Amino acid sequence: MSGRGEARTGASRASRRGVLAATAAAGLGLLAACAESSSRADSPPYKSPPGGGARQSPSGPAGTSDPSGSPSRSAPATARPSDRPAKRRRPELPRGGRELFPRYRLVGFCGLPGAAALGRLGTGDPGERAGEIAKVARSYADGREPLPVLELLAVVANAAAGPDGTYRSRTPAATVRRFHRLARRRRALLLLNIQPGRASVLDEVKALREWLVHPDVGVALDPEWEMGAGEVPGDSYGHTDGHELTEVARYLSELVEAHDLPQKPLVFHQVATSVVREQSALRPQPGVALIKSADGIGSPGLKRGTWRRLVSDLPDGLHTGFKLFYEEDAQGSRLMTPKEVLALRPQPEYVMYE
């Protein structure tokens, strides 16, 4: 194994990078077409209802005439139950409650419509994929409630700089809206995956604010595609650090507080130890569940080795996740079973298939 390969062979890693670079533009072209046929607006972004006050009846305040013109009686000293402010129900997660862990185990597919090579979520009919996710999620319950996840690539790294020089493309809002509606119908979480290229990670997260103010939308970061000056996606691993991850978590925490949202997941995928630097600088934030997802293509043995390296010396408050690849893990080997994944220690609380 090369020094940066972890669970992937050099050949499989190069192949995956090549696929991403070659298909991203074409995939987003298809996305734009999908967006045109899915322009119907979703429910508006979640807003905290205004503070309750006593509702007035159609006849107006007490002491005025009713619609028939007859004088009304004076209002009683105490308001009737129907006149009392309705107690606002706090926003909850798709399947109830306001805390993700330890109640739930998150299980899902990631991908990009029109680019099947980038993940299972982008293949076939999205509704069928959502049904498949629910079935797979049940196989990971093991004492927890399964919570299905749709992880949509909302920002995709490209091999070309593009007009703004950021080496990334943003998925059309109409497509995000379509998958958010699907997640709502299936009582699932929508995770918006960000491969930032040379763009600012925090800026890309903030650009998704209209979705992140919903109680069922979270963020997944792919820092191996976060490039520095002079770096091009596909040529080398990108990286982030604990300070940047804390900045993103702090922004999400502010949204949670401002909109009284339930706990919001922040996943960061990590393929090699070099991809997340200064992990000790990562600071948990109120209302945000930090999840470190061990990435990496390979046989079950190689993936277990990557897992052990990446989960050693975990900072306090960090949850763990595990990623599998339907096609690439099976090349020359086989896909790990749910039983094998659940045997990892610590046990993953988030499982994602690509």
Side-chain angles (χ1 to χ4, degrees), residues 230-248:
E231 297 177 339
V232 175
D235 288 351
S236 62
Y237 281 136
H239 62 83
T240 186
D241 59 40
H243 300 285
E244 183 173 63
L245 293 173
T246 299
E247 284 185 348
V248 174

Side-chain angles (χ1 to χ4, degrees), residues 52-70:
R55 292 174 293 176
Q56 293 183 349
S57 67
S59 60
T64 62
S65 298
D66 66 18
S68 65
S70 302

Side-chain angles (χ1 to χ4, degrees), residues 39-112:
S39 58
R40 181 169 61 87
D42 191 10
S43 55
Y46 172 80
K47 294 181 181 179
S48 298
R55 292 174 293 176
Q56 293 183 349
S57 67
S59 60
T64 62
S65 298
D66 66 18
S68 65
S70 302
S72 61
R73 299 177 181 176
S74 299
T78 57
R80 293 170 298 178
S82 60
D83 293 328
R84 293 172 185 161
K87 185 175 181 181
R88 182 174 66 86
R89 183 176 180 179
R90 303 180 74 190
E92 293 189 344
L93 294 164
R95 303 201 172 195
R98 291 176 54 86
E99 298 289 328
L100 286 166
F101 306 119
R103 175 175 174 177
Y104 293 108
R105 193 182 318 279
L106 281 53
V107 182
F109 295 167
C110 68
L112 180 73

Side-chain angles (χ1 to χ4, degrees), residues 113-128:
L118 300 184
R120 199 171 189 90
L121 189 61
T123 65
D125 177 74
E128 292 180 2

